[in-house]
Amino acid sequence: MAEINVVCICGSLRKASYNRMVMNALPGLAPAGMSIKEAPPFADFPLYNMDLQDASGVPPSVQKLADAIRAADGVIFNTPEYNFSIPGGLKNAIDWISRVPNQPLAGKPVAIQSATNGPLGGGRMQYDLRRAMIFLDALTFGKPEIFIGNASTRIDAKTGEITDKQTVEFIRQQLAAFAKFIERYGGKQ
Ligand SMILES: Cc1cc2nc3c(=O)[nH]c(=O)nc-3n(C[C@H](O)[C@H](O)[C@H](O)COP(=O)(O)O)c2cc1C
């Protein structure tokens, strides 16, 4: 297969985000033939309101992210868990993307990685994100799963390096398996 292009969406907006650190490490852990880059940001998306969409259409920043998802062979969500679920900003972004005509997550291979300072590493959020992806007809990748619990003990907050070797190995394995998943089931719209 030709080069596999994956875009990542970081669910945390804070500068020193552990999830962003994990996202930044991915290009160095990807198998040969898989390129990984960050998707356009959602930080300036307005709160979803159908009246707004009816009056002004899809905002340009939403369209930009939707186009990047459509053009990619796969999407990786790198996100924390907020209050046992999907962070509000990310959920708002998904809600906007879901209302773009010919919504781009349909048929799209999607993988999930989460890092939290809690011990479960975002497991509860992942159930909710998987449910949203089911409604959007995304092809959500199964195993291996990435839950980075107690993130501050596994990631060096100063350098951004993932210091826990097992975590690095799990991510490498997930990316290799995700590449195979994309080759088998993927396909751009
Ligand atoms: C609003 C809010 C809710 C949170 N809820 C959870 C939670 O449900 N489970 C959990 O493990 N950590 C929770 N945390 C702690 C996060 O795991 C921690 O702040 C983590 O570093 C956030 O990810 P980031 O470093 O990528 O920003 C919460 C943090 C915030 C700010």
Side-chain angles (χ1 to χ4, degrees):
M1 187 182 175
E3 179 93 352
I4 296 170
N5 292 301
V6 170
V7 294
C8 300
I9 299 174
C10 183
S12 173
L13 298 177
R14 76 186 186 100
K15 286 196 208 79
S17 158
Y18 287 114
N19 287 279
R20 175 163 288 280
M21 290 170 187
V22 173
M23 184 184 79
N24 290 341
L26 298 185
L29 302 175
M34 177 185 257
S35 90
I36 304 181
K37 61 180 198 274
E38 185 175 8
F42 63 79
D44 68 346
F45 286 15
L47 284 180
Y48 184 80
N49 180 337
M50 200 182 283
D51 293 343
L52 184 65
Q53 184 171 14
D54 288 345
S56 333
V58 174
S61 56
V62 174
Q63 192 63 55
K64 208 169 159 189
L65 178 55
D67 290 346
I69 292 171
R70 188 170 290 113
D73 298 306
V75 174
I76 298 175
F77 286 101
N78 290 96
T79 179
E81 171 178 286
Y82 279 1
N83 299 310
F84 287 15
S85 190
I86 304 167
L90 176 60
K91 182 58 164 55
N92 184 58
I94 292 169
D95 291 343
W96 265 113
I97 294 298
S98 74
R99 306 304 294 187
V100 172
N102 184 27
Q103 69 85 2
L105 284 161
K108 190 67 62 181
V110 166
I112 305 172
Q113 302 180 351
S114 51
T116 70
N117 260 331
L120 297 185
R124 294 159 295 216
M125 176 284 300
Q126 289 205 17
Y127 277 127
D128 287 358
L129 188 49
R130 282 176 187 278
R131 285 197 305 176
M133 291 301 112
I134 287 170
F135 183 65
L136 296 179
D137 295 322
L139 303 177
T140 310
F141 173 79
K143 296 186 291 293
E145 301 167 288
I146 303 293
F147 307 106
I148 307 174
N150 302 317
S152 62
T153 67
R154 297 192 158 93
I155 301 168
D156 185 329
K158 287 208 181 73
T159 64
E161 188 196 346
I162 305 169
T163 48
D164 183 65
K165 299 295 169 233
Q166 194 178 38
T167 299
V168 170
E169 201 41 45
F170 282 150
I171 294 173
R172 222 189 273 281
Q173 286 170 14
Q174 194 206 50
L175 294 178
F178 189 45
K180 290 203 177 114
F181 181 84
I182 291 171
E183 279 175 353
R184 185 160 183 194
Y185 302 109
K188 295 201 178 98
Q189 284 180 347

PDB file of all heavy atoms in Angstrom, residues 50-83:
ATOM      1  N   MET A  50     -27.347  24.729  16.453  1.00  0.00           N
ATOM      2  CA  MET A  50     -27.904  24.540  15.113  1.00  0.00           C
ATOM      3  C   MET A  50     -28.378  25.851  14.504  1.00  0.00           C
ATOM      4  O   MET A  50     -28.318  26.030  13.279  1.00  0.00           O
ATOM      5  CB  MET A  50     -29.046  23.513  15.157  1.00  0.00           C
ATOM      6  CG  MET A  50     -29.346  22.919  13.794  1.00  0.00           C
ATOM      7  SD  MET A  50     -30.715  21.762  13.836  1.00  0.00           S
ATOM      8  CE  MET A  50     -29.922  20.346  14.536  1.00  0.00           C
ATOM      9  N   ASP A  51     -28.816  26.771  15.354  1.00  0.00           N
ATOM     10  CA  ASP A  51     -29.222  28.085  14.822  1.00  0.00           C
ATOM     11  C   ASP A  51     -28.045  28.765  14.125  1.00  0.00           C
ATOM     12  O   ASP A  51     -28.198  29.379  13.064  1.00  0.00           O
ATOM     13  CB  ASP A  51     -29.709  29.009  15.951  1.00  0.00           C
ATOM     14  CG  ASP A  51     -30.994  28.507  16.577  1.00  0.00           C
ATOM     15  OD1 ASP A  51     -31.670  27.661  15.946  1.00  0.00           O
ATOM     16  OD2 ASP A  51     -31.313  28.939  17.703  1.00  0.00           O
ATOM     17  N   LEU A  52     -26.874  28.651  14.759  1.00  0.00           N
ATOM     18  CA  LEU A  52     -25.664  29.254  14.182  1.00  0.00           C
ATOM     19  C   LEU A  52     -25.337  28.600  12.840  1.00  0.00           C
ATOM     20  O   LEU A  52     -25.033  29.277  11.850  1.00  0.00           O
ATOM     21  CB  LEU A  52     -24.515  29.049  15.183  1.00  0.00           C
ATOM     22  CG  LEU A  52     -23.162  29.648  14.874  1.00  0.00           C
ATOM     23  CD1 LEU A  52     -23.233  31.161  14.872  1.00  0.00           C
ATOM     24  CD2 LEU A  52     -22.156  29.196  15.954  1.00  0.00           C
ATOM     25  N   GLN A  53     -25.433  27.292  12.806  1.00  0.00           N
ATOM     26  CA  GLN A  53     -25.135  26.592  11.555  1.00  0.00           C
ATOM     27  C   GLN A  53     -26.154  26.960  10.486  1.00  0.00           C
ATOM     28  O   GLN A  53     -25.789  27.182   9.324  1.00  0.00           O
ATOM     29  CB  GLN A  53     -25.107  25.072  11.782  1.00  0.00           C
ATOM     30  CG  GLN A  53     -24.711  24.315  10.512  1.00  0.00           C
ATOM     31  CD  GLN A  53     -24.463  22.835  10.740  1.00  0.00           C
ATOM     32  OE1 GLN A  53     -24.817  22.287  11.784  1.00  0.00           O
ATOM     33  NE2 GLN A  53     -23.861  22.185   9.769  1.00  0.00           N
ATOM     34  N   ASP A  54     -27.430  27.056  10.876  1.00  0.00           N
ATOM     35  CA  ASP A  54     -28.465  27.410   9.902  1.00  0.00           C
ATOM     36  C   ASP A  54     -28.242  28.819   9.352  1.00  0.00           C
ATOM     37  O   ASP A  54     -28.458  29.089   8.171  1.00  0.00           O
ATOM     38  CB  ASP A  54     -29.861  27.322  10.538  1.00  0.00           C
ATOM     39  CG  ASP A  54     -30.275  25.873  10.776  1.00  0.00           C
ATOM     40  OD1 ASP A  54     -29.621  24.973  10.204  1.00  0.00           O
ATOM     41  OD2 ASP A  54     -31.228  25.654  11.543  1.00  0.00           O
ATOM     42  N   ALA A  55     -27.763  29.745  10.250  1.00  0.00           N
ATOM     43  CA  ALA A  55     -27.595  31.139   9.829  1.00  0.00           C
ATOM     44  C   ALA A  55     -26.309  31.344   9.029  1.00  0.00           C
ATOM     45  O   ALA A  55     -26.300  32.075   8.042  1.00  0.00           O
ATOM     46  CB  ALA A  55     -27.588  32.052  11.061  1.00  0.00           C
ATOM     47  N   SER A  56     -25.208  30.722   9.453  1.00  0.00           N
ATOM     48  CA  SER A  56     -23.905  31.034   8.840  1.00  0.00           C
ATOM     49  C   SER A  56     -23.200  29.840   8.243  1.00  0.00           C
ATOM     50  O   SER A  56     -22.074  29.965   7.763  1.00  0.00           O
ATOM     51  CB  SER A  56     -22.956  31.667   9.871  1.00  0.00           C
ATOM     52  OG  SER A  56     -23.629  32.339  10.888  1.00  0.00           O
ATOM     53  N   GLY A  57     -23.782  28.669   8.302  1.00  0.00           N
ATOM     54  CA  GLY A  57     -23.123  27.488   7.731  1.00  0.00           C
ATOM     55  C   GLY A  57     -22.042  26.945   8.644  1.00  0.00           C
ATOM     56  O   GLY A  57     -21.964  27.283   9.824  1.00  0.00           O
ATOM     57  N   VAL A  58     -21.205  26.115   8.073  1.00  0.00           N
ATOM     58  CA  VAL A  58     -20.120  25.493   8.834  1.00  0.00           C
ATOM     59  C   VAL A  58     -18.960  26.484   8.946  1.00  0.00           C
ATOM     60  O   VAL A  58     -18.491  26.990   7.928  1.00  0.00           O
ATOM     61  CB  VAL A  58     -19.648  24.199   8.110  1.00  0.00           C
ATOM     62  CG1 VAL A  58     -18.423  23.607   8.787  1.00  0.00           C
ATOM     63  CG2 VAL A  58     -20.774  23.190   8.039  1.00  0.00           C
ATOM     64  N   PRO A  59     -18.483  26.794  10.158  1.00  0.00           N
ATOM     65  CA  PRO A  59     -17.360  27.737  10.285  1.00  0.00           C
ATOM     66  C   PRO A  59     -16.117  27.215   9.545  1.00  0.00           C
ATOM     67  O   PRO A  59     -15.899  25.994   9.470  1.00  0.00           O
ATOM     68  CB  PRO A  59     -17.096  27.781  11.798  1.00  0.00           C
ATOM     69  CG  PRO A  59     -18.357  27.304  12.435  1.00  0.00           C
ATOM     70  CD  PRO A  59     -18.966  26.327  11.464  1.00  0.00           C
ATOM     71  N   PRO A  60     -15.283  28.129   9.014  1.00  0.00           N
ATOM     72  CA  PRO A  60     -14.104  27.693   8.250  1.00  0.00           C
ATOM     73  C   PRO A  60     -13.187  26.761   9.037  1.00  0.00           C
ATOM     74  O   PRO A  60     -12.635  25.810   8.478  1.00  0.00           O
ATOM     75  CB  PRO A  60     -13.383  29.012   7.920  1.00  0.00           C
ATOM     76  CG  PRO A  60     -14.447  30.059   7.997  1.00  0.00           C
ATOM     77  CD  PRO A  60     -15.461  29.588   8.994  1.00  0.00           C
ATOM     78  N   SER A  61     -13.022  27.002  10.354  1.00  0.00           N
ATOM     79  CA  SER A  61     -12.116  26.135  11.125  1.00  0.00           C
ATOM     80  C   SER A  61     -12.668  24.713  11.248  1.00  0.00           C
ATOM     81  O   SER A  61     -11.909  23.740  11.271  1.00  0.00           O
ATOM     82  CB  SER A  61     -11.856  26.730  12.517  1.00  0.00           C
ATOM     83  OG  SER A  61     -13.084  26.944  13.185  1.00  0.00           O
ATOM     84  N   VAL A  62     -13.998  24.605  11.290  1.00  0.00           N
ATOM     85  CA  VAL A  62     -14.621  23.270  11.340  1.00  0.00           C
ATOM     86  C   VAL A  62     -14.409  22.563   9.999  1.00  0.00           C
ATOM     87  O   VAL A  62     -14.027  21.392   9.936  1.00  0.00           O
ATOM     88  CB  VAL A  62     -16.124  23.378  11.666  1.00  0.00           C
ATOM     89  CG1 VAL A  62     -16.794  22.013  11.572  1.00  0.00           C
ATOM     90  CG2 VAL A  62     -16.338  23.990  13.052  1.00  0.00           C
ATOM     91  N   GLN A  63     -14.632  23.330   8.924  1.00  0.00           N
ATOM     92  CA  GLN A  63     -14.458  22.752   7.585  1.00  0.00           C
ATOM     93  C   GLN A  63     -13.026  22.271   7.381  1.00  0.00           C
ATOM     94  O   GLN A  63     -12.782  21.209   6.789  1.00  0.00           O
ATOM     95  CB  GLN A  63     -14.825  23.805   6.525  1.00  0.00           C
ATOM     96  CG  GLN A  63     -14.959  23.231   5.121  1.00  0.00           C
ATOM     97  CD  GLN A  63     -16.086  22.205   5.010  1.00  0.00           C
ATOM     98  OE1 GLN A  63     -17.229  22.492   5.341  1.00  0.00           O
ATOM     99  NE2 GLN A  63     -15.758  20.981   4.579  1.00  0.00           N
ATOM    100  N   LYS A  64     -12.070  23.060   7.933  1.00  0.00           N
ATOM    101  CA  LYS A  64     -10.655  22.705   7.777  1.00  0.00           C
ATOM    102  C   LYS A  64     -10.354  21.355   8.452  1.00  0.00           C
ATOM    103  O   LYS A  64      -9.683  20.495   7.879  1.00  0.00           O
ATOM    104  CB  LYS A  64      -9.804  23.820   8.407  1.00  0.00           C
ATOM    105  CG  LYS A  64      -8.458  23.966   7.787  1.00  0.00           C
ATOM    106  CD  LYS A  64      -7.797  25.242   8.281  1.00  0.00           C
ATOM    107  CE  LYS A  64      -6.301  25.111   8.085  1.00  0.00           C
ATOM    108  NZ  LYS A  64      -5.530  26.157   8.703  1.00  0.00           N
ATOM    109  N   LEU A  65     -10.858  21.196   9.671  1.00  0.00           N
ATOM    110  CA  LEU A  65     -10.632  19.922  10.363  1.00  0.00           C
ATOM    111  C   LEU A  65     -11.351  18.784   9.641  1.00  0.00           C
ATOM    112  O   LEU A  65     -10.786  17.697   9.461  1.00  0.00           O
ATOM    113  CB  LEU A  65     -11.100  20.015  11.828  1.00  0.00           C
ATOM    114  CG  LEU A  65     -10.969  18.724  12.653  1.00  0.00           C
ATOM    115  CD1 LEU A  65      -9.541  18.171  12.631  1.00  0.00           C
ATOM    116  CD2 LEU A  65     -11.405  18.972  14.098  1.00  0.00           C
ATOM    117  N   ALA A  66     -12.577  19.046   9.199  1.00  0.00           N
ATOM    118  CA  ALA A  66     -13.329  18.004   8.478  1.00  0.00           C
ATOM    119  C   ALA A  66     -12.583  17.583   7.216  1.00  0.00           C
ATOM    120  O   ALA A  66     -12.481  16.386   6.903  1.00  0.00           O
ATOM    121  CB  ALA A  66     -14.731  18.507   8.126  1.00  0.00           C
ATOM    122  N   ASP A  67     -12.033  18.566   6.496  1.00  0.00           N
ATOM    123  CA  ASP A  67     -11.303  18.243   5.254  1.00  0.00           C
ATOM    124  C   ASP A  67     -10.059  17.418   5.561  1.00  0.00           C
ATOM    125  O   ASP A  67      -9.706  16.499   4.809  1.00  0.00           O
ATOM    126  CB  ASP A  67     -10.905  19.532   4.522  1.00  0.00           C
ATOM    127  CG  ASP A  67     -12.111  20.254   3.922  1.00  0.00           C
ATOM    128  OD1 ASP A  67     -13.188  19.641   3.833  1.00  0.00           O
ATOM    129  OD2 ASP A  67     -11.968  21.443   3.564  1.00  0.00           O
ATOM    130  N   ALA A  68      -9.371  17.769   6.667  1.00  0.00           N
ATOM    131  CA  ALA A  68      -8.144  17.029   7.032  1.00  0.00           C
ATOM    132  C   ALA A  68      -8.490  15.585   7.402  1.00  0.00           C
ATOM    133  O   ALA A  68      -7.758  14.654   7.050  1.00  0.00           O
ATOM    134  CB  ALA A  68      -7.440  17.723   8.196  1.00  0.00           C
ATOM    135  N   ILE A  69      -9.610  15.396   8.102  1.00  0.00           N
ATOM    136  CA  ILE A  69     -10.036  14.024   8.450  1.00  0.00           C
ATOM    137  C   ILE A  69     -10.379  13.264   7.170  1.00  0.00           C
ATOM    138  O   ILE A  69      -9.974  12.126   6.964  1.00  0.00           O
ATOM    139  CB  ILE A  69     -11.253  14.062   9.409  1.00  0.00           C
ATOM    140  CG1 ILE A  69     -10.828  14.621  10.769  1.00  0.00           C
ATOM    141  CG2 ILE A  69     -11.872  12.681   9.553  1.00  0.00           C
ATOM    142  CD1 ILE A  69     -11.981  14.915  11.722  1.00  0.00           C
ATOM    143  N   ARG A  70     -11.102  13.919   6.275  1.00  0.00           N
ATOM    144  CA  ARG A  70     -11.516  13.251   5.035  1.00  0.00           C
ATOM    145  C   ARG A  70     -10.298  12.833   4.217  1.00  0.00           C
ATOM    146  O   ARG A  70     -10.278  11.748   3.622  1.00  0.00           O
ATOM    147  CB  ARG A  70     -12.432  14.173   4.223  1.00  0.00           C
ATOM    148  CG  ARG A  70     -13.045  13.485   3.022  1.00  0.00           C
ATOM    149  CD  ARG A  70     -14.126  14.294   2.341  1.00  0.00           C
ATOM    150  NE  ARG A  70     -15.313  14.393   3.160  1.00  0.00           N
ATOM    151  CZ  ARG A  70     -15.770  15.521   3.705  1.00  0.00           C
ATOM    152  NH1 ARG A  70     -15.138  16.666   3.491  1.00  0.00           N
ATOM    153  NH2 ARG A  70     -16.865  15.522   4.443  1.00  0.00           N
ATOM    154  N   ALA A  71      -9.273  13.688   4.205  1.00  0.00           N
ATOM    155  CA  ALA A  71      -8.088  13.404   3.383  1.00  0.00           C
ATOM    156  C   ALA A  71      -7.182  12.349   4.010  1.00  0.00           C
ATOM    157  O   ALA A  71      -6.313  11.794   3.340  1.00  0.00           O
ATOM    158  CB  ALA A  71      -7.306  14.697   3.159  1.00  0.00           C
ATOM    159  N   ALA A  72      -7.355  12.080   5.305  1.00  0.00           N
ATOM    160  CA  ALA A  72      -6.458  11.146   5.994  1.00  0.00           C
ATOM    161  C   ALA A  72      -6.925   9.702   5.820  1.00  0.00           C
ATOM    162  O   ALA A  72      -8.109   9.438   5.581  1.00  0.00           O
ATOM    163  CB  ALA A  72      -6.415  11.492   7.486  1.00  0.00           C
ATOM    164  N   ASP A  73      -5.981   8.783   5.962  1.00  0.00           N
ATOM    165  CA  ASP A  73      -6.332   7.356   5.934  1.00  0.00           C
ATOM    166  C   ASP A  73      -6.836   6.892   7.294  1.00  0.00           C
ATOM    167  O   ASP A  73      -7.471   5.843   7.393  1.00  0.00           O
ATOM    168  CB  ASP A  73      -5.099   6.529   5.553  1.00  0.00           C
ATOM    169  CG  ASP A  73      -4.596   6.884   4.168  1.00  0.00           C
ATOM    170  OD1 ASP A  73      -5.383   6.837   3.215  1.00  0.00           O
ATOM    171  OD2 ASP A  73      -3.405   7.233   4.046  1.00  0.00           O
ATOM    172  N   GLY A  74      -6.493   7.635   8.337  1.00  0.00           N
ATOM    173  CA  GLY A  74      -6.920   7.256   9.676  1.00  0.00           C
ATOM    174  C   GLY A  74      -6.783   8.423  10.625  1.00  0.00           C
ATOM    175  O   GLY A  74      -6.110   9.409  10.328  1.00  0.00           O
ATOM    176  N   VAL A  75      -7.455   8.292  11.772  1.00  0.00           N
ATOM    177  CA  VAL A  75      -7.455   9.351  12.786  1.00  0.00           C
ATOM    178  C   VAL A  75      -7.073   8.723  14.125  1.00  0.00           C
ATOM    179  O   VAL A  75      -7.544   7.623  14.448  1.00  0.00           O
ATOM    180  CB  VAL A  75      -8.853  10.002  12.909  1.00  0.00           C
ATOM    181  CG1 VAL A  75      -8.908  11.002  14.066  1.00  0.00           C
ATOM    182  CG2 VAL A  75      -9.251  10.679  11.606  1.00  0.00           C
ATOM    183  N   ILE A  76      -6.215   9.410  14.891  1.00  0.00           N
ATOM    184  CA  ILE A  76      -5.930   8.987  16.262  1.00  0.00           C
ATOM    185  C   ILE A  76      -6.395  10.096  17.200  1.00  0.00           C
ATOM    186  O   ILE A  76      -6.030  11.264  17.012  1.00  0.00           O
ATOM    187  CB  ILE A  76      -4.425   8.731  16.482  1.00  0.00           C
ATOM    188  CG1 ILE A  76      -3.945   7.601  15.571  1.00  0.00           C
ATOM    189  CG2 ILE A  76      -4.150   8.377  17.949  1.00  0.00           C
ATOM    190  CD1 ILE A  76      -2.440   7.354  15.624  1.00  0.00           C
ATOM    191  N   PHE A  77      -7.210   9.729  18.187  1.00  0.00           N
ATOM    192  CA  PHE A  77      -7.564  10.674  19.245  1.00  0.00           C
ATOM    193  C   PHE A  77      -6.586  10.484  20.396  1.00  0.00           C
ATOM    194  O   PHE A  77      -6.416   9.359  20.886  1.00  0.00           O
ATOM    195  CB  PHE A  77      -8.995  10.419  19.749  1.00  0.00           C
ATOM    196  CG  PHE A  77     -10.066  10.876  18.801  1.00  0.00           C
ATOM    197  CD1 PHE A  77     -10.726   9.979  17.974  1.00  0.00           C
ATOM    198  CD2 PHE A  77     -10.425  12.221  18.739  1.00  0.00           C
ATOM    199  CE1 PHE A  77     -11.713  10.404  17.096  1.00  0.00           C
ATOM    200  CE2 PHE A  77     -11.423  12.660  17.870  1.00  0.00           C
ATOM    201  CZ  PHE A  77     -12.059  11.748  17.044  1.00  0.00           C
ATOM    202  N   ASN A  78      -5.921  11.572  20.791  1.00  0.00           N
ATOM    203  CA  ASN A  78      -5.058  11.578  21.983  1.00  0.00           C
ATOM    204  C   ASN A  78      -5.755  12.460  23.003  1.00  0.00           C
ATOM    205  O   ASN A  78      -5.717  13.690  22.887  1.00  0.00           O
ATOM    206  CB  ASN A  78      -3.682  12.173  21.651  1.00  0.00           C
ATOM    207  CG  ASN A  78      -2.878  11.265  20.760  1.00  0.00           C
ATOM    208  OD1 ASN A  78      -2.873  11.431  19.541  1.00  0.00           O
ATOM    209  ND2 ASN A  78      -2.219  10.300  21.348  1.00  0.00           N
ATOM    210  N   THR A  79      -6.381  11.840  23.976  1.00  0.00           N
ATOM    211  CA  THR A  79      -7.227  12.684  24.819  1.00  0.00           C
ATOM    212  C   THR A  79      -7.295  12.236  26.279  1.00  0.00           C
ATOM    213  O   THR A  79      -7.262  11.037  26.558  1.00  0.00           O
ATOM    214  CB  THR A  79      -8.657  12.771  24.229  1.00  0.00           C
ATOM    215  OG1 THR A  79      -9.482  13.577  25.084  1.00  0.00           O
ATOM    216  CG2 THR A  79      -9.297  11.406  24.060  1.00  0.00           C
ATOM    217  N   PRO A  80      -7.402  13.204  27.182  1.00  0.00           N
ATOM    218  CA  PRO A  80      -7.656  12.836  28.576  1.00  0.00           C
ATOM    219  C   PRO A  80      -9.115  12.452  28.787  1.00  0.00           C
ATOM    220  O   PRO A  80      -9.932  12.484  27.842  1.00  0.00           O
ATOM    221  CB  PRO A  80      -7.335  14.130  29.348  1.00  0.00           C
ATOM    222  CG  PRO A  80      -7.537  15.240  28.387  1.00  0.00           C
ATOM    223  CD  PRO A  80      -7.305  14.661  27.005  1.00  0.00           C
ATOM    224  N   GLU A  81      -9.397  12.080  30.010  1.00  0.00           N
ATOM    225  CA  GLU A  81     -10.776  11.834  30.459  1.00  0.00           C
ATOM    226  C   GLU A  81     -11.140  12.986  31.374  1.00  0.00           C
ATOM    227  O   GLU A  81     -10.363  13.324  32.263  1.00  0.00           O
ATOM    228  CB  GLU A  81     -10.806  10.511  31.229  1.00  0.00           C
ATOM    229  CG  GLU A  81     -12.101  10.200  31.957  1.00  0.00           C
ATOM    230  CD  GLU A  81     -12.016   8.824  32.632  1.00  0.00           C
ATOM    231  OE1 GLU A  81     -12.082   7.814  31.923  1.00  0.00           O
ATOM    232  OE2 GLU A  81     -11.860   8.775  33.872  1.00  0.00           O
ATOM    233  N   TYR A  82     -12.273  13.605  31.143  1.00  0.00           N
ATOM    234  CA  TYR A  82     -12.771  14.639  32.053  1.00  0.00           C
ATOM    235  C   TYR A  82     -14.061  14.128  32.687  1.00  0.00           C
ATOM    236  O   TYR A  82     -15.031  13.822  31.965  1.00  0.00           O
ATOM    237  CB  TYR A  82     -13.075  15.936  31.294  1.00  0.00           C
ATOM    238  CG  TYR A  82     -11.876  16.830  31.005  1.00  0.00           C
ATOM    239  CD1 TYR A  82     -10.574  16.501  31.382  1.00  0.00           C
ATOM    240  CD2 TYR A  82     -12.064  18.034  30.326  1.00  0.00           C
ATOM    241  CE1 TYR A  82      -9.504  17.334  31.107  1.00  0.00           C
ATOM    242  CE2 TYR A  82     -10.994  18.879  30.050  1.00  0.00           C
ATOM    243  CZ  TYR A  82      -9.720  18.518  30.439  1.00  0.00           C
ATOM    244  OH  TYR A  82      -8.668  19.352  30.155  1.00  0.00           O
ATOM    245  N   ASN A  83     -14.076  14.070  34.008  1.00  0.00           N
ATOM    246  CA  ASN A  83     -15.286  13.659  34.717  1.00  0.00           C
ATOM    247  C   ASN A  83     -15.900  12.393  34.129  1.00  0.00           C
ATOM    248  O   ASN A  83     -17.084  12.343  33.798  1.00  0.00           O
ATOM    249  CB  ASN A  83     -16.283  14.834  34.751  1.00  0.00           C
ATOM    250  CG  ASN A  83     -15.676  16.015  35.472  1.00  0.00           C
ATOM    251  OD1 ASN A  83     -15.156  15.870  36.575  1.00  0.00           O
ATOM    252  ND2 ASN A  83     -15.694  17.189  34.853  1.00  0.00           N
TER     253      ASN A  83
END
